[in-house]
Amino acid sequence: MASELRVNTLKDANGNNSVATSVVFNGSAKAWVEYDGTASGATIGDSFNVSSTDDDATGDYGVNFTNAMGNTKYTCTFGDGEGTSSSGLRFLIDAGSTTSSQELYARNVSNSAQDVDAASVVIHGDLA
């Protein structure tokens, strides 16, 4: 039998440092993924609420959500954590995002597409 816990505020063990549950829910990442953008198919290392990644072309990737976002007004942070290829890279988020996926682009200082070693993506917003 499933149970349900309904609370408005969370506090630490001493009854201090309270936070409204809405802050926890609204401030939590709704999806995240770490993947190797140099591998065939943008191989996922670890993820949450991401069903797959696409390697559409050099430096062009797609992130597909397991559970859709409630609208296309979510935020996305994208970067390369490896360090070897991140010098001078720009990361672009496609303005044509959908509720089920986000397209991402990595470009070097010459504005040429470049694959990234350890791409990281975090999505914040409302789930459907």
Side-chain angles (χ1 to χ4, degrees):
M1 173 189 285
S3 61
E4 188 174 297
L5 180 63
R6 295 181 185 211
V7 297
N8 294 322
T9 305
L10 299 174
K11 293 185 177 188
D12 65 20
N14 294 321
N16 301 314
N17 302 311
S18 66
V19 63
T21 55
S22 61
V23 171
V24 176
F25 178 77
N26 291 325
S28 300
K30 301 306 187 288
W32 58 264
V33 63
E34 183 281 329
Y35 63 94
D36 183 348
T38 62
S40 176
T43 305
I44 294 175
D46 201 2
S47 68
F48 171 72
N49 194 30
V50 172
S51 58
S52 63
T53 54
D54 303 326
D55 188 352
D56 299 323
T58 300
D60 295 354
Y61 308 102
V63 173
N64 304 299
F65 309 133
T66 304
N67 298 296
M69 302 301 291
N71 56 59
T72 58
K73 304 297 183 193
Y74 54 85
T75 64
C76 178
T77 305
F78 174 43
D80 178 25
E82 191 63 27
T84 56
S85 68
S86 62
S87 178
L89 281 180
R90 296 182 306 130
F91 302 103
L92 310 167
I93 310 302
D94 189 329
S97 60
T98 70
T99 57
S100 60
S101 66
Q102 175 66 62
E103 293 298 315
L104 310 158
Y105 308 104
R107 300 295 183 260
N108 62 26
V109 293
S110 301
N111 203 34
S112 298
Q114 181 174 329
D115 282 340
V116 293
D117 312 61
S120 299
V121 179
V122 179
I123 304 292
H124 286 89
D126 296 325
L127 290 173

